[in-house]
Amino acid sequence: MSTRGSRSTRLHVIGPLAGLALAAGLVPLGAGSAEAHDRGSHHQAAPVVIAHRGASGYRPEHTLEAYRVAIRQGADFIEPDLVPTKDGVLVARHENEISTTTDVAQHPEFAARRATKTIDGVTVTGWFTEDFTLRELKTLRAKERLPQVRPGNTAYDGRFQVPTLEEVLDLAQRASRREGRTISVYPETKHPTYFDSIDLSLEEPLVRTLNRHGLRGPKAPVIVQSFETGNLRDLSRLTRVRLAQLVDAAGAPYDLRAAGDPRTYADLVTPRGLREIARYADGIGAEKKVVLPRDADGATGAPSSVVRDAHRVGLDVHVWTVRAENQFLPTNFRRGTDPNAHGDVRGELLALLDTGVDGIFSDFPDEAVQARKAWLRDRYRRAG
C-alpha cells in the first residue's frame, strides 16, 4: 500500500456517473477514503476523464476556451502544463518554446528574442516563455499546434490569450459552482530541472498559487504531475495535495539521467519501482502502451501487469493520451488510410477501461465520457 500515510488518498474522484457505478456495485460506500486507501484496498470507482490540455481536439490547446469546452463535455479534470514567465508567473503552455502554439513569430518587436537553448539535453530554437514578462506574453495569441491534423481548430487562431495558472484555477472553481459538480485541475510541471538551473523554480510558485485557492490537502480537487522524480519528492514535502508520477513508454526521467542514475521509466513500473513511487506520490500517469502494449504490427495485445501491481501498493493509474485521429490509434482501431481521419477511438477507450485504469487523458473528452458511460452500463448489466 502507499506509504504516504495520512496525507494519502485515492487519485480518482466519484464523478457524475457515481449513481450508475454504485448501482453496478463498482463504488462501494466509503470508497476513496483515506482509511480504505491505507488498508491497501483498491475499489474501482467510475474512472475519471481528464481533458488533455483542455478539449484540444476541438480548440487550440491550453486556452481558457479549450478548458471551457472540456467542462461542457463532462470532463472531471482539466490539465494545464505549466511553464514560467521571466517574472516567475506560471502559465499554461505545453512547452516553454512557444513558436508552434502562439503568434510570436508575427511580432516584430520580439524578433530579437529568438534564441537557441538546450532543454533536457535537446537543442531547441525559438521563443521561450522565460524570456517574456507576463505582460509581454499577454500580447500574444494562441494558435493550433497541429494545423495539418486539426484544420478546424485553426478557425480559432488568434482569438485567445495564453492563460495563467491563476486563471485556470479561477475558471475551474467558477465552473464547479455553476455546474454543481467538482471540476478538478491536473497541472504538470514542465522541465523542472531546467527551470531550477535558471533560477525559475516551479514548485514554490505552484504551491503558493494552490494555497491561495484553498487547494492544500489530499481531498483538494487537484493532482500535480511530473515526468521527473525529484520535483515530486520536493512537492511531497511542500504540499499535501495529491501527486502523480508520469511514466513514458521509453526513456528515463531527465532528472535521473542528469544525475547519472541508470533507472528508466520501465524500472519505475516494476513492483519495486512502484513501491518506491508510493513513498512520495499517490498514483502514476502512464503512457497507454505501458498498460496496453502493442505487437509488432502496432495492434493492442493483452494488458500488462502494471495496473494490478500499482493497485497492490495503493497507487491509482491514469493513462495518456487518447486521440481520435488514426495516426494516434493502435492499428486495430484505425479506420481507412487517412492518418488524420478519425478511427474507432471509442474502441480504444473501452479497451483501456477494461484494463482497470482509474482515469484516461483524452484530447476528446466527450468521446471519453461517452465511452465511460457505455462501459459502466455494460458492467451494470453483467453485474445484475
Side-chain angles (χ1 to χ4, degrees), residues 93-236:
R93 289 290 87 187
H94 176 51
E95 291 291 343
N96 54 322
E97 199 291 298
I98 53 173
S99 63
T100 61
T101 60
T102 73
D103 62 357
V104 64
Q106 279 67 60
H107 285 254
E109 68 272 26
F110 298 134
R113 306 277 178 95
R114 192 169 187 267
T116 297
K117 303 188 181 190
T118 301
I119 312 294
D120 294 358
V122 178
T123 301
V124 182
T125 297
W127 288 263
F128 299 84
T129 59
E130 64 266 26
D131 296 329
F132 292 78
T133 65
L134 178 62
R135 184 174 182 179
E136 291 172 330
L137 202 64
K138 283 291 189 179
T139 67
L140 308 180
R141 293 297 180 269
K143 67 178 184 179
E144 171 56 37
R145 186 176 62 89
L146 301 172
Q148 303 304 315
V149 179
R150 295 169 179 169
N153 285 7
T154 63
Y156 302 96
D157 286 357
R159 297 193 188 185
F160 311 121
Q161 293 182 325
V162 174
T164 64
L165 173 60
E166 290 269 9
E167 291 171 327
V168 176
L169 295 175
D170 285 341
L171 171 66
Q173 292 180 333
R174 288 195 306 269
S176 295
R177 293 190 293 269
R178 184 182 66 249
E179 298 282 328
R181 64 185 182 94
T182 300
I183 309 300
S184 302
V185 182
Y186 211 131
E188 179 187 342
T189 56
K190 302 291 292 191
H191 309 302
T193 294
Y194 166 75
F195 285 117
D196 277 347
S197 76
I198 60 171
D199 296 323
L200 280 172
S201 178
L202 301 172
E203 294 82 19
E204 294 81 6
L206 170 58
V207 171
R208 286 196 299 269
T209 306
L210 294 177
N211 287 346
R212 279 198 299 272
H213 285 261
L215 303 172
R216 297 174 180 271
K219 294 184 179 180
V222 61
I223 301 169
V224 178
Q225 58 180 328
S226 179
F227 279 103
E228 296 191 17
T229 65
N231 78 308
L232 287 177
R233 293 178 187 274
D234 290 343
L235 283 165
S236 73

Side-chain angles (χ1 to χ4, degrees), residues 260-279:
D261 190 317
R263 285 177 295 166
T264 65
Y265 287 119
D267 294 320
L268 297 189
V269 293
T270 63
R272 179 179 180 179
L274 291 166
R275 287 194 298 272
E276 179 61 28
I277 289 173
R279 295 181 180 276

Side-chain angles (χ1 to χ4, degrees), residues 163-363:
T164 64
L165 173 60
E166 290 269 9
E167 291 171 327
V168 176
L169 295 175
D170 285 341
L171 171 66
Q173 292 180 333
R174 288 195 306 269
S176 295
R177 293 190 293 269
R178 184 182 66 249
E179 298 282 328
R181 64 185 182 94
T182 300
I183 309 300
S184 302
V185 182
Y186 211 131
E188 179 187 342
T189 56
K190 302 291 292 191
H191 309 302
T193 294
Y194 166 75
F195 285 117
D196 277 347
S197 76
I198 60 171
D199 296 323
L200 280 172
S201 178
L202 301 172
E203 294 82 19
E204 294 81 6
L206 170 58
V207 171
R208 286 196 299 269
T209 306
L210 294 177
N211 287 346
R212 279 198 299 272
H213 285 261
L215 303 172
R216 297 174 180 271
K219 294 184 179 180
V222 61
I223 301 169
V224 178
Q225 58 180 328
S226 179
F227 279 103
E228 296 191 17
T229 65
N231 78 308
L232 287 177
R233 293 178 187 274
D234 290 343
L235 283 165
S236 73
R237 293 185 285 269
L238 294 172
T239 180
R240 297 180 65 245
V241 302
R242 294 165 291 171
L243 307 175
Q245 176 69 62
L246 292 173
V247 178
D248 208 339
Y254 180 72
D255 63 317
L256 297 186
R257 287 196 286 127
D261 190 317
R263 285 177 295 166
T264 65
Y265 287 119
D267 294 320
L268 297 189
V269 293
T270 63
R272 179 179 180 179
L274 291 166
R275 287 194 298 272
E276 179 61 28
I277 289 173
R279 295 181 180 276
Y280 62 85
D282 303 276
I284 63 171
E287 202 279 342
K288 56 190 181 181
K289 291 191 291 292
V290 171
V291 167
L292 199 58
R294 300 181 188 179
D295 62 21
D297 295 322
T300 54
S304 72
S305 66
V306 168
V307 173
R308 180 196 66 202
D309 294 340
H311 286 175
R312 283 177 173 172
V313 294
L315 295 171
D316 278 355
V317 181
H318 296 163
V319 289
W320 51 271
T321 301
V322 176
R323 299 177 168 101
E325 295 89 359
N326 277 326
Q327 63 184 287
F328 303 117
L329 290 168
T331 54
N332 50 318
F333 293 112
R334 295 176 187 175
R335 297 294 178 264
T337 58
D338 181 354
N340 297 324
H342 287 201
D344 181 16
V345 64
R346 191 74 56 86
E348 185 187 28
L349 285 161
L350 292 172
L352 287 166
L353 290 168
D354 280 342
T355 68
V357 297
D358 304 286
I360 295 178
F361 288 81
S362 180
D363 289 8

